[in-house]
Every structure is written in C-alpha cells, then in structure tokens.
C-alpha cells in the first residue's frame, strides 16, 4: 500500500473517530440539558401543600405558561392544572416575569367563573420560583374596594347632611341676636333653632347607631328575645307620633314567638319602620304591624296605606341618606338613615328585610329573622339557669355604668375644687 494511501486511510479513520466522539459528547450534553430541564420543571417539594393552604388563588406555571399546580381557591377563576392562563392580562404578568427575571405586580379586573361571570378586581403578583417556574398569586380586593367606596360616600354624605342643620343653627343664632329688641321674633327664631338642634341631635345619634352596627363584631346584649315585647316597645315609642299624625297603629298576627338577638336593636329597627309608615300615611289611615312564623322564620311586616315608593327607587331606599321623596322627608325631619339602620340591624341577626310597594297604594316592609323555640317550653331548671346568667350580666353592666358615673362625678368635683381655689387666689 502506497504511503499516500496509508495517510489518507489514517485521516479517514481519525475523522470517523472524531465524529463519533463529538456525537457522543453532544448526546451527553443534550441528555444533561433534558435532565436539568425536567428537574427544573418539577414543583419544589412542599409547594403543593403550601398552595392548598392558601386562601388566595395561586398557581405555578412552567416556562410555556402552562399551569402545573394550582390551589383549590383558583378553580373559580378557571385556573386549573394542565391549562393555560385564561386572560391576556394574566399572561402579560407572567411574561414580564420571565423576560425580566424579577417579580411583577398588576391590578386589573378579571371574570370569575365561565360565561357571564362576575368581574372581580384583583391584584396579581408573579414571582420567579425556579429558573423555569413562576408563582402567580391573585388577591381579590373587590370587597375592599367596595368598603372603601362606601366609606368615602359615607363621609361625603355625612358632611353634606350635617352642613344644613349646622348652617341653620348659625343663621338662626345671628337672627336672634339681631332681633333682640323684638320678643315675638326671638320666640319664632328660638323655636326654629330648637327644631334644628333636635334634627342635628337625631342625625348624629343615627349616624352613631349605624356606625356601631357596622363596626361591632358582636351584639352587646344577645339573648332570647320575645317578638311581642319588641313590637310592644316599638309601638309605645311611636304612639305620640301616631296620635299627632292622626294615624292608628294596629298590631296583629301570631304571638309567643322568640328570636335570638339584641331586643333593643331589633326594637329600634321595627320602630324605624313604624316611624316611616306614620310619616308617609294620610291622616285617618292605619299602620299595621303583623307577625307570622313558619318554617323556622319569623316575619314582622309593617304596612301603610301611604303614597308608596316608585319602582325605580325601591332598590335604593336602604342606602344611607337616600330619600325617595326629598321634599316630604325634609318636612318630616327624616335623616335618610332609618332604613339603612334597619337593614344592618336585621343582617346582624342573620336575617333580611324585604319591600313591597305600589305608588298610591302603600308599602309593606317585612323583616325576616331566624326563629327559635320558646324558652318557656324549656325545663324550669334550665330556664332558671338562663335567667340567672342574664341577671348576672345585667349586674355587671350596672356596676360598670356606676363606676363610670362615679369617675365623672369625681372629675367634676376636682374641677370645681380647682376653680374655687383659683377664685380664692384671685
């Protein structure tokens, strides 16, 4: 064999061996990359357990945007394992994380549920979990936004409503001062001043009651309450108003029904409905207060034969400061808070309030509450224990009030002593 042929043969053999080695090395590197990629796509140990413990919807995405793990609370937003992110907004947040390799935040509205689902306001935070995995956490802030809007509206409406009586008091005080030489005018202005002061006090009291109902975590005096006593108290509190308006209050329906709750709060709620019915009823008519219990629910209906409420206003009458008849409400001294207090008081007791009304025919407001068994049917020993607990609680409240009053008295005594001392020194 010629030397040139031997050299050519050796070159070919070397090329074959080199190509084989290169192929083996390339295959090894690719196998290693696949192994690393597969390892990077595995959900870290314990991550699924953490996801299931989250109250907020959360998912883990792979590099292609496929959901490989999801919390149970993510299902209502159509976030399920094996599927893609359902909205462009969510995909955009995940894409920004993969591009910048840093956490990303966004706030937008997405639909909860399939089809015409409810739009919810959510804040989304996407965080790199590993080199190829992304954690996406959604926080539904719809209720927070609603409460904040309610707070802003409440502050705005309250300040607006307080301006009227406060301004009136200021103007009437100036009028009294300028008419000091005319006793008749002074009496007229003083009467109007007293009326505005009463209106201001009523408005302030109702605002405080409504705030207390919304802010308190639990009712102050929850016990077995008799519907008969609640209605009797509400009727008694509005007898003078009914007599002045020439309206008769008629009580009917089932008796001996009990509910669990604060009797004072429920009596005020029923009283607000009675006061409204009297205010909007013509002279010589009657207001009916009926009670019916069935299927574990007690219904307290207050019916009038007044002007009624337009259908367009019926969905808004329970809003704060909303008045269907502005002029009549002003004339009768209404604050626009009575029905809002009724709504929140009833909701605090696990019930609801409904409205039926027709213009020119009158209105019926119905309070629906969970009914309980009459405590009078309990064994005497068990009933005695309950009564003992109630009396003990009442004694504690009386003692606390007495302590508070003694503190106020002592404070006033100290102030008086200090004033006398200053006077003697002077």
């Amino acid at each position: 064999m010629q030397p040139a042929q031997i050299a050519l043969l050796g070159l070919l053999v070397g090329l074959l061996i080199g190509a084989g080695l290169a192929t083996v090395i390339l295959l090894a590197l690719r196998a290693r990359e696949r192994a690393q990629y597969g390892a990077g796509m595995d959900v870290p140990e314990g991550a699924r357990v953490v996801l299931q413990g989250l109250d907020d919807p959360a998912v883990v995405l792979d590099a292609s945007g496929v959901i490989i793990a999801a919390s149970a609370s993510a299902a209502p937003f159509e976030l399920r394992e094996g599927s893609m992110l359902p909205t462009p907004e969510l995909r955009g947040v995940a894409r920004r994380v993969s591009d910048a390799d840093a956490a990303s935040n966004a706030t937008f509205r997405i639909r909860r549920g399939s089809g015409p689902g409810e739009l919810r306001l959510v804040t989304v935070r996407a965080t790199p979990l590993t080199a190829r995995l992304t954690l996406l956490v959604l926080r539904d802030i719809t209720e927070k936004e609603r409460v904040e809007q309610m707070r802003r509206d409440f502050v705005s409406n309250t300040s607006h409503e307080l301006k009227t009586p406060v301004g009136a008091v200021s103007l009437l005080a100036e009028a009294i001062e300028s008419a000091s030489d005319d006793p008749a005018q002074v009496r007229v202005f003083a009467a109007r001043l007293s009326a505005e002061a009463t209106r201001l006090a009523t408005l302030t009291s109702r605002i405080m009651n409504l705030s207390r109902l919304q802010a308190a975590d639990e009712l102050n005096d929850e016990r077995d309450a008799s519907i008969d006593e609640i209605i009797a108290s509400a009727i008694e509190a509005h007898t003078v108003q009914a007599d002045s308006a020439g309206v008769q209050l008629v009580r009917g329906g089932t008796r001996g029904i009990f509910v669990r709750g604060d009797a004072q709060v429920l009596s005020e709620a029923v009283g607000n409905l009675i006061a409204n019915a009297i205010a909007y009823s013509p002279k010589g008519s009657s207001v009916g207060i009926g009670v019916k219990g069935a299927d574990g629910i007690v219904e307290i209906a207050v019916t009038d034969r007044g002007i009624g409420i337009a259908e367009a206003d019926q969905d808004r009458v329970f809003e704060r400061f909303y008045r269907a008849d502005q002029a009549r409400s002003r004339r009768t001294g209404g604050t626009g808070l009575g029905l809002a207090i009724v709504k929140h008081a009833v909701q605090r007791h696990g019930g609801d309030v409904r409205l039926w009304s027709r213009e020119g025919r009158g209105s019926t407001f119905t309070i629906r509450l969970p009914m309980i068994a009459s405590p009078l049917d309990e064994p005497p020993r068990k009933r005695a224990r309950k009564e003992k607990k109630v009396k003990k609680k009442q004694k504690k409240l009386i003692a606390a009030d007495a302590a508070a009053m003694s503190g106020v008295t002592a404070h006033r005594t100290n102030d008086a002593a200090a004033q006398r001392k200053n006077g003697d020194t002077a």
Side-chain angles (χ1 to χ4, degrees), residues 289-355:
I289 303 97
V291 180
K292 181 178 70 174
D295 300 326
I297 300 293
V298 57
E299 295 184 350
I300 306 171
V302 178
T303 302
D304 64 67
R305 297 291 182 265
I307 60 176
I309 302 172
E311 188 174 354
D313 295 321
Q314 292 182 18
D315 291 335
R316 300 193 60 191
V317 293
F318 294 101
E319 295 178 11
R320 303 178 191 87
F321 300 110
Y322 184 81
R323 300 178 178 91
D325 187 342
Q326 296 280 352
R328 187 182 184 96
S329 182
R330 293 288 186 187
R331 189 167 61 252
T332 58
T335 62
L337 290 173
L339 292 179
I341 292 174
V342 172
K343 175 185 175 182
H344 286 283
V346 173
Q347 286 180 344
R348 292 299 305 277
H349 287 79
D352 62 0
V353 56
R354 299 179 179 181
L355 167 64

Side-chain angles (χ1 to χ4, degrees), residues 87-331:
T87 67
E89 294 87 356
L90 290 173
R91 291 193 290 270
V93 176
R95 193 179 304 114
R96 287 197 296 271
V97 172
S98 61
D99 292 343
D101 195 25
S104 176
N105 296 282
T107 301
F108 45 80
R109 295 186 184 275
I110 62 175
R111 198 169 298 280
R112 183 171 66 179
S114 57
E118 181 184 6
L119 280 175
R120 308 290 291 181
L121 182 67
V122 298
T123 59
V124 181
R125 181 174 178 82
T127 308
L129 197 59
T130 66
R132 298 181 180 275
L133 297 181
T134 301
L135 174 65
L136 209 67
V137 180
L138 287 71
R139 175 158 294 176
D140 190 341
I141 60 172
T142 307
E143 290 302 314
K144 182 180 178 181
E145 180 200 33
R146 184 185 63 82
V147 171
E148 182 61 22
Q149 184 63 43
M150 287 174 57
R151 185 192 66 81
R152 288 195 296 266
D153 292 344
F154 184 70
V155 172
S156 175
N157 292 335
T158 302
S159 60
H160 174 74
E161 293 292 330
L162 288 173
K163 283 180 182 178
T164 302
V166 169
V169 167
S170 177
L171 290 175
L172 288 169
E174 293 177 4
I176 289 174
E177 184 179 4
S178 63
S180 57
D181 297 333
D182 188 347
Q185 285 295 317
V186 169
R187 284 193 293 271
V188 171
F189 290 141
R192 292 178 59 185
L193 180 63
S194 177
E196 290 296 336
T198 302
R199 179 182 170 192
L200 181 60
T202 302
L203 179 60
T204 305
S205 174
R206 292 204 163 188
I207 290 173
M208 293 176 63
N209 287 340
L210 183 58
S211 300
R212 176 172 55 84
L213 285 172
Q214 291 180 301
D217 293 330
E218 57 184 19
L219 298 168
N220 293 330
D221 186 20
E222 188 175 2
R223 59 183 177 85
D224 295 344
S226 168
I227 294 296
D228 295 337
E229 294 178 3
I230 290 170
I231 293 178
S233 175
I235 291 176
E236 183 180 357
H238 294 85
T239 300
V240 174
Q241 179 190 358
D243 292 341
S244 300
V247 175
Q248 183 182 8
L249 300 180
V250 180
R251 158 66 158 104
T254 310
R255 295 182 182 270
I257 295 178
F258 285 78
V259 295
R260 184 72 181 172
D262 190 324
Q264 180 63 31
V265 172
L266 291 175
S267 180
E268 290 177 3
V270 176
N272 285 343
L273 294 182
I274 294 175
N276 277 1
I278 294 172
Y280 289 92
S281 292
K283 187 175 182 179
S285 63
S286 62
V287 170
I289 303 97
V291 180
K292 181 178 70 174
D295 300 326
I297 300 293
V298 57
E299 295 184 350
I300 306 171
V302 178
T303 302
D304 64 67
R305 297 291 182 265
I307 60 176
I309 302 172
E311 188 174 354
D313 295 321
Q314 292 182 18
D315 291 335
R316 300 193 60 191
V317 293
F318 294 101
E319 295 178 11
R320 303 178 191 87
F321 300 110
Y322 184 81
R323 300 178 178 91
D325 187 342
Q326 296 280 352
R328 187 182 184 96
S329 182
R330 293 288 186 187
R331 189 167 61 252

Side-chain angles (χ1 to χ4, degrees), residues 30 45 88 336 425:
R30 288 185 176 177
E45 184 179 356
T425 302

